[in-house]
């Protein structure tokens, strides 16, 4: 069978796109100009919403086993421990995964590649896209590898090829934003230390995160290269940051497995789509590392787009639904860039306000705030990305109480099970919480979609679900249509508009 989609880039975003398409039986080709999987783990955090999406493919459990739950974060300032933030299961009652997972990006990628290899799907390494032309219902891609060049036809191209995206450049879109002056380093070291959980180190000399890596027993250190080293305009080596790591971070490295430096950008592409070509992940938006949002947002892009492409290619939904991809994802990317930019600057800047942030807020105020239940829930919703909604999307309809079409399905536990079990089907399906009319039941039966009935319980009420609410759930776990007044026409009109 001919490949229908070309995925350019095999980082976390491209791999997530591959997972989404494979499960739907959509043939695709995934390429990357690198020689093999990356070793630079700039992204270390996997948030709850990402784990929920991965769980639909059976990947979440493996990631949790190979990662470390960041249940406590120690705060250091000027080399001294100033306090700690007890995350624990900060999102209890809100998600199957009420925690923050620390998992190095390289290990993350290996897990997904192993999954794809188990499906007899491999990445075409040492292979790059040199250009493409769109004509009619096809996109012809010019591809080059060690064996030569060739032209291949696809229905769609997904550019997941990072900040320097050749796909975005050929689309002709600007990448407005900027680059931080600071240079970051990432190091994987073996050595004596008493690091057990996540550590945040702040001082006038720099900023660093220290995280233990479960699989290798090493420590991953991500921090700022000292200003005096940057001013030399030479490529930094570990010896240039060694004194800072030893004196301020408290880690003496006996072995340095690898070391790399990089700059951080904050940019969002003008658009995420042009015809049959799409952008996802760092190709469309890049952020500061504040909150560990960048990689998770790229994976969210991929999961959003992959089910839509799958439904269109399979002929089950109208191609117009592809318009919703940019509509749903670009507003969040823009908001994320602006907010993480402010947080990042407030932490690393050398000024009185940043001193207050480091010495007072991070060391004293934040740990106390997290002890307040309402604050813990609010913080978890924000950081974990379970708050992302598509209320203004063309694919969202209705409202019942506080829940609207486009919202993520509220997680409700039922004994040892929950209402997220049906999401494993990766298809549209109906939910009923309580009772509904015979007319609504007939419509649901005639739709041919899976029908899941749940009792309306105190847990459902607590999650914000009104009694006798009917929901049409999207493959990605967001609500397409919601109603608690037996408005059959609303569901009928939606299916008639978008489904075939």
């Amino acid at each position: 069978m001919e490949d229908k989609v070309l995925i350019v880039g095999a980082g976390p975003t491209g791999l997530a796109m591959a997972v989404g398409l494979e499960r739907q039986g959509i043939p695709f080709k995934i390429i990357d100009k690198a020689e093999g999987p990356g070793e630079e783990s700039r992204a270390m955090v996997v948030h709850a919403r990402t784990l929920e999406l991965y769980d639909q493919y059976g990947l979440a459990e493996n990631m949790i086993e190979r990662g470390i739950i960041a249940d406590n974060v120690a705060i250091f300032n000027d080399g001294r421990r100033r306090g700690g933030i007890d995350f624990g299961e900060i999102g209890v009652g809100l998600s199957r995964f009420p925690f923050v997972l620390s998992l190095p990006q390289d290990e993350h990628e290996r897990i997904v590649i192993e999954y794809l290899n188990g499906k007899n799907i491999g990445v075409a390494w040492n292979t790059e896209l040199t250009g493409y032309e769109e004509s009619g219902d096809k996109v012809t891609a010019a591809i080059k590898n060690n064996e030569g060049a060739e032209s291949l036809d696809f229905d769609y191209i997904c550019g997941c090829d990072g900040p320097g995206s050749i796909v975005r450049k050929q689309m002709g879109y600007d990448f407005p934003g900027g680059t931080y002056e600071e240079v970051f380093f990432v190091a994987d070291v073996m050595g004596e230390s008493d690091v057990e959980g996540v550590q945040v180190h702040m001082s006038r000399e720099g900023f660093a995160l220290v995280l233990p890596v479960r699989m290798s027993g090493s420590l991953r250190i991500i921090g700022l290269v000292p200003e005096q080293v940057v001013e030399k305009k030479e490529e930094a080596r570990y010896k240039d940051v060694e004194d800072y790591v030893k004196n301020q971070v408290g880690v003496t490295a006996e072995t340095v497995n690898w070391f790399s430096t990089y700059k951080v950008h904050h940019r969002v592409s003008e658009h995420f789509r042009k015809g049959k070509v799409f952008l996802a992940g760092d190709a469309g938006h890049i952020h500061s590392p504040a909150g560990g949002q960048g990689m998770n947002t790229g994976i969210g892009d991929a999961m959003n787009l992959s089910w839509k492409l799958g439904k269109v290619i399979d002929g089950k939904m109208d191609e117009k639904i592809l318009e919703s991809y940019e509509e749903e994802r670009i507003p969040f990317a823009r908001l994320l860039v602006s907010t993480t930019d402010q947080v990042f600057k407030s932490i690393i800047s050398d000024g009185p306000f940043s001193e207050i942030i480091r010495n007072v807020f991070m060391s004293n105020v934040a740990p106390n705030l997290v002890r307040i239940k309402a604050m813990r829930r609010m913080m978890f919703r924000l950081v974990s990305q379970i708050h992302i909604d598509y209320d203004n999307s063309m694919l969202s309809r209705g409202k019942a109480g506080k829940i609207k079409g486009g919202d993520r399905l509220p997680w409700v536990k039922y004994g040892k099970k929950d209402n997220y079990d049906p999401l494993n089907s990766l298809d549209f399906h109906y939910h009923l919480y309580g009772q509904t009319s015979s007319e609504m039941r007939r419509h649901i039966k005639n739709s041919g979609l899976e029908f899941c009935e749940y009792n309306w319980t105190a847990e459902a009420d607590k999650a914000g679900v009104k009694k006798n609410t009917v929901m049409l759930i999207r493959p990605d776990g967001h609500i397409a249509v919601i109603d608690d007044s037996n408005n059959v026409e609303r569901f009928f009109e939606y299916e008639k508009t978008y489904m075939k």
Side-chain angles (χ1 to χ4, degrees), residues 256-282:
V256 180
N257 295 330
W258 53 262
F259 176 84
S260 181
T261 61
Y262 61 99
K263 279 203 166 190
V264 173
H265 308 264
H266 47 105
R267 303 176 183 274
V268 181
S269 176
E270 290 181 277
H271 296 285
F272 286 2
R273 180 194 182 190
K274 190 171 189 178
K276 291 180 170 292
V277 183
F278 299 83
L279 297 175
D282 287 355

Side-chain angles (χ1 to χ4, degrees), residues 122-139:
V123 176
W125 302 107
N126 294 302
T127 305
E128 62 180 309
L129 176 76
T130 58
Y132 71 82
E133 289 186 5
E134 184 175 344
S135 178
D137 60 351
K138 293 291 181 183
V139 186

Side-chain angles (χ1 to χ4, degrees), residues 48-243:
R49 185 63 186 130
T50 301
L51 288 172
E52 288 178 349
L53 292 167
Y54 274 142
D55 198 39
Q56 295 180 250
Y57 303 87
L59 280 163
E61 184 176 343
N62 196 359
M63 291 191 170
I64 295 168
E65 288 177 354
R66 290 161 72 168
I68 295 174
I69 294 176
D71 53 4
N72 187 281
V73 177
I75 307 295
F76 290 77
N77 200 3
D78 293 325
R80 293 176 55 194
R81 193 180 193 281
R82 302 288 184 172
I85 300 178
D86 180 14
F87 284 113
E89 293 197 333
I90 190 173
V92 169
L94 298 175
S95 172
R96 278 183 176 178
F97 310 101
F99 47 77
V100 177
L101 182 70
S102 172
L103 180 70
Q105 182 179 325
D106 52 339
E107 186 66 23
H108 182 144
E109 291 179 11
R110 278 194 289 271
I111 291 170
V112 183
I113 289 171
E114 288 169 8
Y115 171 90
L116 291 171
N117 288 343
K119 308 289 184 179
N120 295 316
I121 295 172
V123 176
W125 302 107
N126 294 302
T127 305
E128 62 180 309
L129 176 76
T130 58
Y132 71 82
E133 289 186 5
E134 184 175 344
S135 178
D137 60 351
K138 293 291 181 183
V139 186
T140 302
I143 297 173
K144 181 177 68 174
N145 56 31
N146 294 337
E147 297 178 358
E150 61 179 334
S151 293
L152 299 173
D153 289 338
F154 300 91
D155 289 358
Y156 301 95
I157 291 178
C158 299
C160 308
D161 49 340
S165 172
I166 182 66
V167 177
R168 186 190 65 250
K169 290 175 182 176
Q170 179 147 352
M171 293 167 90
Y173 291 147
D174 286 336
F175 205 26
T179 304
Y180 296 107
E181 295 180 1
E182 293 79 11
V183 178
F184 276 78
F185 72 85
V186 55
D188 191 328
V189 306
M190 305 290 291
E192 294 184 4
S193 72
D194 57 356
V195 177
E196 293 183 354
V198 179
Q199 293 186 354
V200 178
H201 291 262
M202 299 174 291
S203 69
R204 290 185 177 182
E205 286 73 30
F207 172 84
L209 295 175
V210 183
L211 309 97
V213 180
R214 169 170 289 175
M215 298 304 291
S216 65
S218 63
L219 291 176
R220 194 64 44 85
I221 305 173
I222 302 173
L224 290 173
V225 176
E227 188 174 341
Q228 60 270 26
V229 177
V230 177
E231 289 175 350
K232 294 179 182 178
K233 296 184 179 179
E234 297 177 359
E235 185 175 349
R237 299 179 180 179
Y238 186 78
K239 66 179 183 179
D240 296 310
V241 302
E242 188 172 13
D243 286 344

